[in-house]
Amino acid sequence: VQLQASGGGLVQAGGSLRLSCAASGRTLSKYHMGWLRQAPGSEREFVGAIRWSDGNTYYADSVKGRFTISRDNAKNMMYLQMNSAKPEDTAVYYCAARWTSSSRATITAAPSSYAYRGQGTQVTVSS
């Protein structure tokens, strides 16, 4: 599966930004689509993911209640709506995908499980 992320930019603290991810090359019914991020000097971390088969989502505690992942099945698009942005959200954000053998597999928060990754998009939150 090929992934293309877009929508990054500069936002003030407390503001909002929406990232998009276009997926192509595979039927996504057995994929979990997610967002990972990496700040300078830090390891890549899990932000959240959506189980494509039923839209179930799971988020890292650091973004829960502020970020929302959604999908458009018809367009094979995934979105990350970032609200109440904080300076610590500054990072390169990656669209990622994990294939599973079951459409009901539990979403994992382990970044290494997402074998498919697109190029990153920079998000900078100014204080």
Side-chain angles (χ1 to χ4, degrees), residues 3 8-9 14 18 20 31 37 39 41 44-45 50 54 59-60 68 92-95 101-102 111 113-115 123 125:
L3 305 169
R18 189 175 85 153
S20 300
Y31 280 85
R37 68 185 182 185
R44 195 165 293 182
E45 66 172 347
I50 186 166
D54 61 7
Y59 300 94
T68 302
V92 177
Y93 283 70
Y94 298 89
C95 174
S101 59
S102 168
S113 296
Y114 294 83
V123 172
V125 183

Side-chain angles (χ1 to χ4, degrees), residues 9-63:
L10 176 65
V11 62
Q12 288 187 335
S16 298
L17 197 64
R18 189 175 85 153
L19 306 184
S20 300
C21 174
S24 62
R26 290 285 189 276
T27 300
L28 299 178
S29 60
K30 288 189 178 180
Y31 280 85
H32 296 172
M33 300 290 294
W35 292 94
L36 310 176
R37 68 185 182 185
Q38 188 166 20
S42 300
E43 293 188 355
R44 195 165 293 182
E45 66 172 347
F46 173 83
V47 175
I50 186 166
R51 189 165 60 198
W52 203 263
S53 60
D54 61 7
N56 189 43
T57 53
Y58 181 74
Y59 300 94
D61 287 344
S62 58
V63 306

